[in-house]
Amino acid sequence: MRYTLALVFIMTCSVITIAGVANNVEEEKYAPASLVNPYLKIQTELAADSFTSVQQHASAMLKELASWGSLGLELGDTVRRLERAESIDEARIALAAVTDALLRYSKIQGLNLPDGIRVAYCPMKQQPWLQEGEDIRNPYYGSAMLDCGEFSDE
């Protein structure tokens, strides 16, 4: 009987230990696609010297951030500047601020960028941006300096 109780105790402790170890394995967390995807559409559009739907994509980001409560306030204030941009030049300036805020938020929250999304850096503007793909597509200068920059993948 003692042997059986000891065996049950050891097995129970083993199961609890294994479950505890499994719960301590951290899942990789990613920046929300609901923010990153509209951001990438804005980046692509500005790199193509277009301003047509920048405000629409910024609005999509704001809609997502509204559900975050106080956590989304700083990022929301920054994205609002992008939504209110009245020219491509204003949108490019606002994109720099949004990029900084999004990268800062991701770092504080311990979030990784989704697969395939990279950090690029413009040495002329001294500013990073996020983008997909292997070829640099600079949103800050568009066609004037489309391939100016390098991937930093910070």
Side-chain angles (χ1 to χ4, degrees):
M1 179 71 165
R2 283 186 182 185
Y3 176 75
T4 305
L5 287 176
L7 186 58
V8 169
F9 177 75
I10 290 170
M11 290 177 65
T12 303
C13 289
S14 297
V15 169
I16 291 170
T17 302
I18 291 169
V21 169
N23 287 336
N24 287 333
V25 174
E26 290 189 31
E27 290 183 33
E28 250 183 280
K29 298 177 188 174
Y30 294 95
S34 53
L35 289 182
V36 175
N37 290 342
Y39 174 97
L40 292 172
K41 290 175 183 175
I42 293 167
Q43 178 271 323
T44 300
E45 190 168 336
L46 293 177
D49 293 328
S50 176
F51 179 65
T52 307
S53 56
V54 166
Q55 293 165 327
Q56 173 188 345
H57 298 305
S59 293
M61 293 175 75
L62 284 171
K63 184 177 179 182
E64 171 62 22
L65 289 169
S67 68
W68 292 17
S70 62
L71 190 59
L73 285 179
E74 178 190 355
L75 194 50
D77 287 344
T78 307
V79 173
R80 200 164 286 106
R81 290 175 46 199
L82 187 55
E83 182 190 43
R84 292 179 180 160
E86 295 182 6
S87 69
I88 194 166
D89 292 332
E90 286 181 18
R92 287 176 166 153
I93 291 167
L95 182 69
V98 169
T99 302
D100 287 341
L102 188 56
L103 289 173
R104 186 172 47 254
Y105 168 80
S106 294
K107 185 174 183 177
I108 289 169
Q109 296 298 319
L111 303 175
N112 296 313
L113 294 174
D115 291 337
I117 309 302
R118 301 177 72 186
V119 177
Y121 182 79
C122 175
M124 300 292 292
K125 183 94 169 153
Q126 297 182 346
Q127 186 64 45
W129 76 88
L130 306 179
Q131 78 164 58
E132 292 179 294
E134 297 298 317
D135 298 326
I136 291 289
R137 295 290 179 251
N138 190 319
Y140 301 123
Y141 291 105
S143 61
M145 298 179 75
L146 187 60
D147 60 356
C148 176
E150 59 192 17
F151 289 108
S152 61
D153 291 325
E154 297 175 0

